């Protein structure tokens, strides 16, 4: 049954058995690609299906693995993505694909059984242009599990619907997304001038064109976060920088929750400056006492992360809780620092090097 949701334009609905194209950008995913591909190929799709892998210049054997998988299953199609950027790879994969519904998938994620069937039903029911569900982060080692707990916590990533929402409805953006090709073609695909935040920006243009973006909590995707501290920090700094760039471009169309981490960074910086001035005697007496008010937000934040880590969301044992206590400020401070740099000077050529060793480039 069709649900009229908010009076927006109805996206076109292709025939039930018209088929689905899955698109996946891939770069240095030797430990995750095969399982991610398997969960795609196991989806129960009415009509034909294909999986287009946009291969960046991997250095860990991922490309060779992708070629082997393509030889084993004719539904897998390969395209080269020499620039390695995600939006470019997505556009290349979409251009190579042939079917009327596009399912974006990630090599670091795994689709739940029935994901595609449910998404197609929701797309048709609400006539949405894009529908997404819950990102359920998971981990294999203690550090990765701590990052996953932070992802799944409203305190960790700011409470976006796809990090734990329970109510179906119109949304600002969609995690990964199941999209109607006709709408993606109409709005011009992913913006290749962005290296992060491309999903949010695409969904902004979908909504500007009058179409619906929809959140369905019955949809679930498992996501595997970064496995080390330095990679996590690099990922979040780059992501924050590109969010800052999006604020430069689109201003207050960005949710208020994106401004919390940079506010924390500024509060920490102010506390350090005041602490130095007090320690050196530059600030003393009443002035030092008044200036001490800058410590209050930082102390409140520290109390909050201790409470989160000590509670059920911090894990089971004391080791889990200590990891959670370390991961949360790493995510917030790295993201906030990147955001401020992006707002004041732009993201420019900032890239996420968290899968690339220590190089500041996606290329070998």
């Amino acid at each position: 049954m069709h649900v009229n949701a908010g009076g927006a334009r109805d996206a076109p609905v292709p025939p039930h058995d018209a088929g689905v194209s899955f698109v996946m950008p891939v770069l240095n995913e030797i430990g995750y690609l095969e399982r991610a591909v398997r969960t795609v190929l196991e989806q129960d799709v009415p009509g034909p299906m294909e999986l287009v892998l946009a291969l960046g210049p991997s250095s860990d054997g991922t490309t060779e693995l992708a070629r082997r998988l393509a030889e084993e299953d004719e539904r897998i199609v390969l395209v080269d993505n020499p620039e390695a950027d995600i939006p470019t790879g997505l556009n290349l994969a979409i251009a190579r694909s042939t079917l009327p519904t596009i399912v974006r998938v990630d090599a670091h994620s795994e689709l739940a059984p029935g994901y595609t069937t449910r998404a197609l039903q929701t797309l048709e029911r609400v006539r949405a242009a894009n529908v997404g569900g819950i990102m359920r982060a998971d981990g294999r080692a203690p550090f990765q599990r701590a990052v996953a707990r932070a992802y799944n916590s409203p305190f960790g990533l700011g409470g976006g619907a796809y990090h734990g929402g329970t109510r179906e409805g119109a949304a600002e953006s969609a995690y990964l997304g199941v999209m109607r090709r006709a709408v993606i073609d109409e709005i011009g695909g992913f913006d290749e001038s962005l290296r992060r935040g491309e999903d949010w920006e695409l969904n902004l243009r979908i909504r500007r064109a009058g179409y619906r973006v929809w959140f369905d909590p019955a949809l679930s995707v498992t996501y595997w976060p970064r496995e080390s501290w330095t990679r996590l920090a690099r990922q979040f700094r780059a992501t924050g920088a590109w969010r800052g760039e999006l604020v430069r471009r689109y201003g207050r169309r960005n949710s208020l929750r994106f401004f919390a981490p940079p506010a924390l960074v500024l509060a920490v910086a102010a506390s350090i400056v005041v602490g130095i001035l007090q320690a050196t005697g530059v600030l003393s007496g009443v002035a030092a006492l008044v200036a001490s008010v800058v410590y209050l937000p930082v102390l409140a934040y520290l109390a909050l992360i201790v409470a989160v880590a000590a509670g059920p969301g911090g894990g089971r044992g004391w080791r889990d809780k200590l990891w959670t206590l370390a991961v949360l400020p790493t995510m917030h401070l790295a993201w906030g620092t990147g955001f401020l740099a992006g707002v004041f000077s732009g993201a420019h050529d900032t890239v996420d090097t968290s899968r690339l060793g220590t190089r500041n480039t996606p290329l070998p």
Side-chain angles (χ1 to χ4, degrees):
M1 184 175 99
H2 169 42
V3 175
N4 191 320
R9 293 172 64 188
D10 286 347
V13 179
H16 174 70
D17 58 353
V20 172
S21 295
F22 298 83
V23 295
M24 181 191 295
V26 178
L27 178 67
N28 287 334
E29 295 288 3
I30 191 66
Y32 295 89
L33 178 62
E34 188 163 10
R35 178 60 187 164
V37 167
R38 187 177 304 118
T39 66
V40 170
L41 298 179
E42 289 173 351
Q43 294 292 300
D44 184 14
V45 175
M49 68 173 292
E50 60 186 356
L51 168 59
V52 185
L53 304 181
L55 300 178
S58 295
S59 58
D60 66 349
T62 295
T63 299
E64 292 74 17
L65 172 59
R67 288 172 178 159
R68 176 174 65 78
L69 295 173
E71 290 174 356
E72 296 172 355
D73 196 310
E74 63 182 9
R75 293 173 295 176
I76 300 176
V77 180
L78 307 180
V79 295
D80 288 330
N81 177 26
E83 294 184 11
D85 289 334
I86 290 174
T88 302
L90 288 168
N91 284 340
L92 288 168
I94 291 170
R96 177 63 179 81
S97 67
T98 60
L99 301 172
T101 299
I102 306 295
V103 180
R104 176 177 173 176
V105 285
D106 189 278
H108 234 55
S109 64
E110 298 175 7
L111 301 184
Y115 173 88
T116 307
T117 300
R118 170 73 187 203
L120 291 172
Q121 292 170 349
T122 302
L123 277 174
E124 182 172 358
R125 175 168 53 88
V126 303
R127 300 294 198 270
N130 191 10
V131 62
I134 297 286
M135 171 203 280
R136 298 198 186 281
D138 201 353
R140 296 169 178 167
F143 177 84
Q144 193 180 42
R145 287 196 294 271
V147 178
R149 287 192 296 275
Y151 267 85
N152 294 331
S153 165
F155 184 67
L157 290 182
Y162 57 80
H163 292 300
T166 58
R167 180 176 298 179
E168 181 180 11
E172 175 186 26
S173 188
Y175 175 56
L176 298 181
V178 181
M179 303 165 273
R180 296 304 191 193
R181 173 190 295 276
V183 176
I184 301 306
D185 290 344
E186 176 185 331
I187 66 172
F190 288 89
D191 185 343
E192 295 183 9
S193 71
L194 300 173
R195 282 176 165 162
R196 304 289 293 180
E198 71 283 345
D199 288 322
W200 180 89
E201 192 277 338
L202 179 83
N203 285 294
L204 174 63
R205 282 185 286 124
I206 289 174
R207 291 185 287 111
R208 280 179 164 181
Y211 295 105
R212 299 177 193 90
V213 177
W214 199 257
F215 170 71
D216 183 353
L219 299 173
S220 175
V221 179
T222 298
Y223 172 76
W224 301 97
R226 300 302 189 267
E227 306 93 333
S228 76
W229 213 330
T230 56
R231 289 175 185 267
L232 178 71
R234 294 206 304 269
Q235 177 198 16
F236 270 72
R237 189 194 178 284
T239 303
W242 281 104
R243 177 54 59 181
E245 175 68 31
L246 289 171
V247 168
R248 286 170 65 94
R249 297 188 190 191
Y250 300 107
R252 271 292 299 117
R253 293 183 181 88
N254 293 266
S255 172
L256 281 173
R257 71 179 185 273
F258 296 127
F259 295 85
L264 171 65
V265 171
L266 293 175
V268 170
S271 297
I272 292 172
V273 170
V274 168
I276 292 173
L277 294 177
Q278 290 173 333
T280 57
V282 175
L283 280 177
S284 61
V286 175
L289 183 63
V290 171
S292 296
V293 73
V294 301
Y295 299 131
L296 295 179
V298 177
L299 292 173
Y301 173 79
L302 290 173
L304 185 56
I305 64 168
V306 168
V308 171
R316 296 182 178 179
W318 66 270
R319 291 179 185 273
D320 279 357
K321 295 183 184 298
L322 286 177
W323 274 123
T324 302
L325 195 62
V327 160
L328 284 170
T330 299
M331 293 166 60
H332 294 155
L333 293 173
W335 200 99
T337 301
F339 179 95
L340 291 170
V343 164
F344 289 115
S345 62
H348 301 295
D349 59 350
T350 300
V351 296
D352 175 8
T353 62
S354 59
R355 301 198 208 282
L356 304 167
T358 58
R359 297 190 304 275
N360 189 34
T361 170
L363 300 177

